[in-house]
Amino acid sequence: MSKMAWMLSSVGVSLAIVATPALAANGDNDLQTVAASLTAGEFVTAEAQIAKLNRTNGADGAMLINLGNAYAGMGRRGDAQIAYQAAIDADPNMELDLADGSVRTVREVATDGLRYLGVSYAER
């Protein structure tokens, strides 16, 4: 099953904002709010919005990527690395349908985030 995501470019990393059929309209609006905050460089606000959504419990790889992007934007490299790795651990093969029409896995997007941080990632 693939999830829809919008890819935006900010601080040199990709932002994956998830919208699934299971989300209510308010969920979609909340995710768009997170995307707007990240795009505007309001990383502290984005972190707070993600925490409020409580969607970083390890089950939502795309939201963990966004959390990593917020941390990277704040210069919290260690926290960003942990979030990107958690995204990979959560569901590495979950597919994201990107706004540009491409499809990438959580692993690919999170690995891009790790590369941005200068962290190499060894696959099993």
Side-chain angles (χ1 to χ4, degrees), residues 22-39:
L23 292 176
N26 280 349
D28 291 344
N29 290 336
D30 290 341
L31 292 167
Q32 290 173 358
T33 302
V34 170
S37 295
L38 288 169
T39 302

PDB file of all heavy atoms in Angstrom, residues 22-39:
ATOM      1  N   ALA A  22      -7.253   7.077   5.434  1.00  0.00           N
ATOM      2  CA  ALA A  22      -7.770   6.896   6.796  1.00  0.00           C
ATOM      3  C   ALA A  22      -7.823   8.203   7.576  1.00  0.00           C
ATOM      4  O   ALA A  22      -8.479   8.284   8.605  1.00  0.00           O
ATOM      5  CB  ALA A  22      -6.903   5.896   7.550  1.00  0.00           C
ATOM      6  N   LEU A  23      -7.141   9.227   7.102  1.00  0.00           N
ATOM      7  CA  LEU A  23      -7.122  10.490   7.826  1.00  0.00           C
ATOM      8  C   LEU A  23      -8.399  11.267   7.569  1.00  0.00           C
ATOM      9  O   LEU A  23      -8.887  11.337   6.449  1.00  0.00           O
ATOM     10  CB  LEU A  23      -5.929  11.353   7.388  1.00  0.00           C
ATOM     11  CG  LEU A  23      -4.555  10.844   7.776  1.00  0.00           C
ATOM     12  CD1 LEU A  23      -3.493  11.753   7.188  1.00  0.00           C
ATOM     13  CD2 LEU A  23      -4.411  10.769   9.283  1.00  0.00           C
ATOM     14  N   ALA A  24      -8.900  11.878   8.607  1.00  0.00           N
ATOM     15  CA  ALA A  24     -10.070  12.748   8.465  1.00  0.00           C
ATOM     16  C   ALA A  24      -9.631  14.053   7.839  1.00  0.00           C
ATOM     17  O   ALA A  24      -8.439  14.340   7.734  1.00  0.00           O
ATOM     18  CB  ALA A  24     -10.684  12.994   9.841  1.00  0.00           C
ATOM     19  N   ALA A  25     -10.583  14.864   7.456  1.00  0.00           N
ATOM     20  CA  ALA A  25     -10.267  16.163   6.841  1.00  0.00           C
ATOM     21  C   ALA A  25      -9.388  17.001   7.752  1.00  0.00           C
ATOM     22  O   ALA A  25      -8.468  17.664   7.292  1.00  0.00           O
ATOM     23  CB  ALA A  25     -11.550  16.904   6.510  1.00  0.00           C
ATOM     24  N   ASN A  26      -9.648  16.991   9.054  1.00  0.00           N
ATOM     25  CA  ASN A  26      -8.799  17.748   9.972  1.00  0.00           C
ATOM     26  C   ASN A  26      -7.377  17.237   9.949  1.00  0.00           C
ATOM     27  O   ASN A  26      -6.438  18.013  10.063  1.00  0.00           O
ATOM     28  CB  ASN A  26      -9.351  17.692  11.401  1.00  0.00           C
ATOM     29  CG  ASN A  26     -10.483  18.656  11.607  1.00  0.00           C
ATOM     30  OD1 ASN A  26     -10.746  19.512  10.766  1.00  0.00           O
ATOM     31  ND2 ASN A  26     -11.165  18.503  12.723  1.00  0.00           N
ATOM     32  N   GLY A  27      -7.183  15.914   9.815  1.00  0.00           N
ATOM     33  CA  GLY A  27      -5.842  15.349   9.726  1.00  0.00           C
ATOM     34  C   GLY A  27      -5.107  15.868   8.515  1.00  0.00           C
ATOM     35  O   GLY A  27      -3.928  16.214   8.581  1.00  0.00           O
ATOM     36  N   ASP A  28      -5.808  15.931   7.380  1.00  0.00           N
ATOM     37  CA  ASP A  28      -5.200  16.473   6.165  1.00  0.00           C
ATOM     38  C   ASP A  28      -4.800  17.932   6.375  1.00  0.00           C
ATOM     39  O   ASP A  28      -3.715  18.340   5.969  1.00  0.00           O
ATOM     40  CB  ASP A  28      -6.170  16.378   4.984  1.00  0.00           C
ATOM     41  CG  ASP A  28      -6.413  14.938   4.545  1.00  0.00           C
ATOM     42  OD1 ASP A  28      -5.625  14.053   4.926  1.00  0.00           O
ATOM     43  OD2 ASP A  28      -7.395  14.725   3.818  1.00  0.00           O
ATOM     44  N   ASN A  29      -5.669  18.707   7.005  1.00  0.00           N
ATOM     45  CA  ASN A  29      -5.359  20.112   7.255  1.00  0.00           C
ATOM     46  C   ASN A  29      -4.170  20.250   8.192  1.00  0.00           C
ATOM     47  O   ASN A  29      -3.313  21.117   7.999  1.00  0.00           O
ATOM     48  CB  ASN A  29      -6.581  20.836   7.848  1.00  0.00           C
ATOM     49  CG  ASN A  29      -7.695  20.999   6.831  1.00  0.00           C
ATOM     50  OD1 ASN A  29      -7.456  20.992   5.628  1.00  0.00           O
ATOM     51  ND2 ASN A  29      -8.904  21.109   7.314  1.00  0.00           N
ATOM     52  N   ASP A  30      -4.114  19.398   9.222  1.00  0.00           N
ATOM     53  CA  ASP A  30      -2.982  19.438  10.148  1.00  0.00           C
ATOM     54  C   ASP A  30      -1.675  19.155   9.422  1.00  0.00           C
ATOM     55  O   ASP A  30      -0.668  19.822   9.652  1.00  0.00           O
ATOM     56  CB  ASP A  30      -3.160  18.415  11.270  1.00  0.00           C
ATOM     57  CG  ASP A  30      -4.268  18.787  12.244  1.00  0.00           C
ATOM     58  OD1 ASP A  30      -4.655  19.980  12.289  1.00  0.00           O
ATOM     59  OD2 ASP A  30      -4.733  17.892  12.949  1.00  0.00           O
ATOM     60  N   LEU A  31      -1.692  18.165   8.534  1.00  0.00           N
ATOM     61  CA  LEU A  31      -0.479  17.820   7.801  1.00  0.00           C
ATOM     62  C   LEU A  31      -0.063  18.937   6.857  1.00  0.00           C
ATOM     63  O   LEU A  31       1.122  19.205   6.686  1.00  0.00           O
ATOM     64  CB  LEU A  31      -0.685  16.513   7.044  1.00  0.00           C
ATOM     65  CG  LEU A  31      -0.830  15.293   7.961  1.00  0.00           C
ATOM     66  CD1 LEU A  31      -1.333  14.104   7.183  1.00  0.00           C
ATOM     67  CD2 LEU A  31       0.486  14.991   8.644  1.00  0.00           C
ATOM     68  N   GLN A  32      -1.028  19.600   6.261  1.00  0.00           N
ATOM     69  CA  GLN A  32      -0.704  20.735   5.400  1.00  0.00           C
ATOM     70  C   GLN A  32      -0.115  21.874   6.223  1.00  0.00           C
ATOM     71  O   GLN A  32       0.775  22.587   5.755  1.00  0.00           O
ATOM     72  CB  GLN A  32      -1.944  21.190   4.636  1.00  0.00           C
ATOM     73  CG  GLN A  32      -2.369  20.192   3.582  1.00  0.00           C
ATOM     74  CD  GLN A  32      -3.687  20.545   2.930  1.00  0.00           C
ATOM     75  OE1 GLN A  32      -4.334  21.524   3.276  1.00  0.00           O
ATOM     76  NE2 GLN A  32      -4.105  19.727   1.982  1.00  0.00           N
ATOM     77  N   THR A  33      -0.580  22.019   7.447  1.00  0.00           N
ATOM     78  CA  THR A  33      -0.027  23.039   8.342  1.00  0.00           C
ATOM     79  C   THR A  33       1.427  22.731   8.667  1.00  0.00           C
ATOM     80  O   THR A  33       2.272  23.628   8.673  1.00  0.00           O
ATOM     81  CB  THR A  33      -0.871  23.130   9.636  1.00  0.00           C
ATOM     82  OG1 THR A  33      -2.214  23.441   9.266  1.00  0.00           O
ATOM     83  CG2 THR A  33      -0.340  24.178  10.583  1.00  0.00           C
ATOM     84  N   VAL A  34       1.729  21.456   8.926  1.00  0.00           N
ATOM     85  CA  VAL A  34       3.122  21.053   9.184  1.00  0.00           C
ATOM     86  C   VAL A  34       3.972  21.367   7.955  1.00  0.00           C
ATOM     87  O   VAL A  34       5.067  21.930   8.070  1.00  0.00           O
ATOM     88  CB  VAL A  34       3.213  19.556   9.539  1.00  0.00           C
ATOM     89  CG1 VAL A  34       4.659  19.090   9.572  1.00  0.00           C
ATOM     90  CG2 VAL A  34       2.536  19.276  10.875  1.00  0.00           C
ATOM     91  N   ALA A  35       3.463  21.030   6.769  1.00  0.00           N
ATOM     92  CA  ALA A  35       4.207  21.295   5.537  1.00  0.00           C
ATOM     93  C   ALA A  35       4.475  22.779   5.373  1.00  0.00           C
ATOM     94  O   ALA A  35       5.585  23.185   5.003  1.00  0.00           O
ATOM     95  CB  ALA A  35       3.437  20.761   4.331  1.00  0.00           C
ATOM     96  N   ALA A  36       3.476  23.593   5.647  1.00  0.00           N
ATOM     97  CA  ALA A  36       3.640  25.043   5.515  1.00  0.00           C
ATOM     98  C   ALA A  36       4.694  25.556   6.489  1.00  0.00           C
ATOM     99  O   ALA A  36       5.524  26.404   6.138  1.00  0.00           O
ATOM    100  CB  ALA A  36       2.313  25.752   5.750  1.00  0.00           C
ATOM    101  N   SER A  37       4.689  25.042   7.705  1.00  0.00           N
ATOM    102  CA  SER A  37       5.679  25.478   8.694  1.00  0.00           C
ATOM    103  C   SER A  37       7.086  25.087   8.268  1.00  0.00           C
ATOM    104  O   SER A  37       8.017  25.890   8.359  1.00  0.00           O
ATOM    105  CB  SER A  37       5.369  24.872  10.068  1.00  0.00           C
ATOM    106  OG  SER A  37       4.147  25.366  10.557  1.00  0.00           O
ATOM    107  N   LEU A  38       7.252  23.856   7.811  1.00  0.00           N
ATOM    108  CA  LEU A  38       8.579  23.412   7.376  1.00  0.00           C
ATOM    109  C   LEU A  38       9.054  24.221   6.178  1.00  0.00           C
ATOM    110  O   LEU A  38      10.209  24.648   6.126  1.00  0.00           O
ATOM    111  CB  LEU A  38       8.549  21.917   7.044  1.00  0.00           C
ATOM    112  CG  LEU A  38       8.431  20.981   8.245  1.00  0.00           C
ATOM    113  CD1 LEU A  38       8.127  19.560   7.778  1.00  0.00           C
ATOM    114  CD2 LEU A  38       9.686  21.014   9.090  1.00  0.00           C
ATOM    115  N   THR A  39       8.169  24.447   5.230  1.00  0.00           N
ATOM    116  CA  THR A  39       8.533  25.212   4.042  1.00  0.00           C
ATOM    117  C   THR A  39       8.914  26.644   4.393  1.00  0.00           C
ATOM    118  O   THR A  39       9.821  27.210   3.792  1.00  0.00           O
ATOM    119  CB  THR A  39       7.366  25.212   3.034  1.00  0.00           C
ATOM    120  OG1 THR A  39       7.048  23.854   2.709  1.00  0.00           O
ATOM    121  CG2 THR A  39       7.724  25.949   1.768  1.00  0.00           C
TER     122      THR A  39
END
